[in-house]
Amino acid sequence: MRRGHPSDDELRKNFDEVLAHVLAGRGVHTATGLDDDTQDALWAIAEAYPNATPDLIDAARRAFAGQLDGSNAERWQEEMDNWFEGREERKAARERQQGSAEGS
C-alpha cells in the first residue's frame, strides 16, 4: 500500500503509461495519482480513439503540466472559494428576503 503522494517522477511515468494506453484504445485506469483535469483530458483521447488529434494530446500534456506546477489545484481552489462565497451570498439574500417578508 502506498503512503503519501506520488513523486513527480512517478506521476510522469504514470502519465506516459496512461497516455500510451488511451492512444492504443484502452481507457484510463484508476489510482494513477493524476488529477481530474489530467484524467479528463486523457479520457477525451480515449473517447476519440482511433482519431485522437494532436490537439487532444497537447491538451492532455498541458493538463498534466498544470498538475505538476500546481496551477490545476490553484484553479480548483479558486473555483471552490467562489462557489462557497456565492453560496453564502445566496443564503444571506434569502435571509434578507425572509426578514423583509416577515416585516411586511
Side-chain angles (χ1 to χ4, degrees), residues 12-91:
R12 283 184 190 91
K13 181 179 182 257
N14 290 347
F15 176 80
D16 290 340
E17 287 177 6
V18 177
L19 180 59
H21 285 188
V22 297
L23 288 171
R26 293 177 284 199
V28 178
H29 52 83
T30 60
T32 60
L34 300 174
D35 69 7
D36 288 345
D37 289 345
T38 303
Q39 287 188 39
D40 290 348
L42 290 165
W43 271 114
I45 294 170
E47 291 168 358
Y49 179 82
N51 300 313
T53 64
D55 287 343
L56 287 174
I57 297 166
D58 289 344
R61 291 188 190 284
R62 282 192 307 275
F64 180 60
Q67 177 175 355
L68 292 179
D69 71 15
S71 60
N72 292 354
E74 288 174 12
R75 187 183 67 256
W76 180 86
Q77 186 62 55
E78 184 177 326
E79 289 171 0
M80 289 297 98
D81 290 347
N82 290 340
W83 183 85
F84 280 111
E85 183 179 303
R87 183 174 180 244
E88 291 301 315
E89 289 171 1
R90 289 187 299 276
K91 180 181 175 186

Side-chain angles (χ1 to χ4, degrees), residues 2-6:
R2 157 177 284 290
R3 297 216 186 271
H5 296 285

